[in-house]
Amino acid sequence: MTVIGSVVLVGLFSAKDRDYQDRLDALEAQVTALGGQVLDRFVQRRGVSDGGVRLMTAPLSRRFLIGPGKLEEIATTCSSRNVDAVVFINGLSGYQRRWLSTRLGRPVLTQADLDPSAHHLTSPTRSQRRAGRRQRPKRRR
């Protein structure tokens, strides 16, 4: 079990979502209650500009959920501030979690991973990481 001390929070929100700061505040309180320290927050808004409104119906990045510019910004902060983990307010597929973790070089958690009964903020266990991977069927010989 790895104890994670410092995290950054990340959230993708629609431009119509007016309470996104309150949602991030609640996530920060949850992290703090578990013994973590939030070093920074990153918000990706979708549908803010005219171009963004047109893109609201387009699928999100299959790999990263957020845009490449925001991803680079997060990666730079993680490296320069020695962040232990990144916590997304949004749900992530196993595929997205693996890609983000590889790109950011640290564990990627979601709000759902923060178990309220846990005493420490932890990274996913090996079995949790393995559960996100697609199992290949065994071939009979």
Side-chain angles (χ1 to χ4, degrees):
M1 181 183 295
T2 305
V3 177
I4 299 173
S6 59
V7 302
V8 294
L9 306 180
V10 180
L12 171 69
F13 301 98
S14 164
K16 294 179 182 180
D17 190 352
R18 300 286 183 222
D19 67 341
Y20 71 94
Q21 289 292 352
D22 294 338
R23 292 177 57 201
L24 283 172
D25 289 342
L27 179 57
E28 183 169 352
Q30 192 174 5
V31 168
T32 303
L34 294 171
Q37 178 185 10
V38 176
L39 299 181
D40 212 341
R41 295 174 166 197
F42 293 92
V43 173
Q44 175 86 56
R45 299 291 304 250
R46 199 150 183 215
V48 175
S49 65
D50 289 336
V53 170
R54 284 194 308 273
L55 292 174
M56 282 298 289
T57 57
L60 298 170
S61 168
R62 205 169 149 236
R63 286 187 183 163
F64 303 123
L65 184 76
I66 54 179
K70 189 63 68 179
L71 182 65
E72 186 59 38
E73 201 178 324
I74 296 166
T76 301
T77 298
C78 287
S79 296
S80 67
R81 299 192 70 185
N82 200 24
V83 171
D84 294 322
V86 178
V87 181
F88 275 76
I89 198 165
N90 310 87
L92 298 171
S93 68
Y95 182 81
Q96 288 170 326
R97 189 187 299 254
R98 282 190 307 277
W99 270 104
L100 285 162
S101 188
T102 298
R103 178 63 180 88
L104 297 172
R106 51 212 12 91
V108 173
L109 306 170
T110 65
Q111 187 171 19
D113 294 327
L114 305 180
D115 182 16
S117 64
H119 297 291
H120 297 286
L121 181 60
T122 61
S123 63
T125 63
R126 175 177 277 188
S127 61
Q128 288 171 326
R129 287 190 303 267
R130 204 177 300 135
R133 295 182 185 153
R134 192 173 135 207
Q135 297 292 325
R136 291 184 183 172
K138 293 183 180 179
R139 293 175 38 181
R140 291 185 179 187
R141 294 182 184 209

